[in-house]
Amino acid sequence: MRIGHGYDVHKLVEGRKLIIGGVEIEHSLGLLGHSDADVLLHAVMDSLLGAAGLGDIGKHFPDSDDRYRGISSVELLKNVANILDENAYIIENIDATIIAQKPKLAPYIGAMKDIICNTLNISSTQLNIKATTEEGLGFTGNESGIAAHSVCLLNSVRDALYVSSGMSECTLCNDCPNKK
C-alpha cells in the first residue's frame, strides 16, 4: 500500500469562473491559474501521483506548456487515471478537504463526487470530500484564495503479485521495482 498527499492553492480574482471538483460554482470571483485552476482536482492528482512515486502535476502538465492553458482539470484527471492504469495502480480511497471562507460548498459536494468518481472509475464509497472555513483567518479566511488537501491510498498490482506469490525475484516485467 502507498499513501500520497496533495496540496494546492489558487488566488481568487475577478473575471474567472470558479470551478472546484469539476463543478462550476456561482461566485463573483474565480481562481487564477494556467488551467481552470481547480484546487480540489489539483490536490487529488498530486496525491495520486505522489503515492505512485510518479512526480506531480507540474511534471506531467507544466504551466509552461500552452497545451494546458485553460484546460479542464477533469481532462487532466483522466490523464492521471490513465497513468495510474499504465503503472498498475489501484485507488483504494481518497479523502479531500477544500478550505474556503466563501462560497459555501456543501450544496456542490455531491456533484463533485460524481465527476471525480466517474473520471477515476471508483465508487462513491472510495471518495470523501469535505469543505471547511478558517473562521476568517489567513488567506482563505480573508477570501484571497482557496486551498485544498487530498490524501489517498493506492495499491500496486505488481507489489501485490510479488508479495502474494512469495517470489524471491520479480519476473513480471522489466521495469518492475522488485526485479533483481
Side-chain angles (χ1 to χ4, degrees):
M1 291 192 153
R2 297 161 176 255
I3 190 167
H5 176 262
Y7 172 76
D8 195 44
V9 60
H10 285 276
K11 181 178 181 178
L12 282 163
V13 296
E14 292 182 3
R16 294 268 304 196
K17 293 179 180 180
L18 179 59
I19 299 171
I20 301 176
V23 176
E24 187 172 336
I25 297 168
E26 246 184 76
H27 193 53
S28 60
L29 303 172
L31 294 170
L32 181 62
H34 185 73
S35 66
D36 63 5
D38 188 325
V39 292
L40 176 59
L41 294 188
H42 292 185
V44 166
M45 287 185 280
D46 271 345
S47 69
L48 293 167
L49 291 166
L54 297 171
D56 61 16
I57 60 173
K59 174 184 173 182
H60 293 274
F61 317 111
D63 63 7
S64 58
D65 190 331
D66 279 341
R67 290 180 297 167
Y68 306 118
R69 182 174 303 283
I71 194 169
S72 165
S73 293
V74 174
E75 290 303 312
L76 300 178
L77 185 61
K78 286 178 188 174
N79 288 330
V80 169
N82 289 334
I83 291 168
L84 293 176
D85 284 346
E86 290 166 5
N87 287 277
Y89 287 103
I90 298 168
I91 299 169
E92 292 294 332
N93 78 306
I94 300 168
D95 185 34
T97 304
I98 309 160
I99 306 150
Q101 194 65 34
K102 289 182 184 173
K104 295 296 182 191
L105 298 173
Y108 302 97
I109 288 177
M112 292 176 192
K113 282 187 73 166
D114 288 345
I115 289 168
I116 296 168
C117 288
N118 289 334
T119 303
L120 294 174
N121 196 28
I122 60 175
S123 76
S124 63
T125 62
Q126 293 173 276
L127 174 64
N128 188 52
I129 300 172
K130 305 172 295 290
T132 190
T133 69
E134 289 190 308
E135 304 296 327
L137 301 173
F139 71 89
T140 61
N142 71 22
E143 300 176 49
S144 295
I146 294 178
H149 288 269
S150 174
V151 178
C152 75
L153 187 64
L154 297 183
N155 261 316
S156 164
V157 172
R158 292 176 181 156
D159 290 348
L161 289 172
Y162 177 73
V163 170
S164 68
S165 71
M167 292 187 289
S168 61
E169 181 176 313
C170 181
T171 58
L172 296 174
C173 56
N174 291 330
D175 66 340
C176 182
N178 295 317
K179 186 171 179 126
K180 294 181 180 176

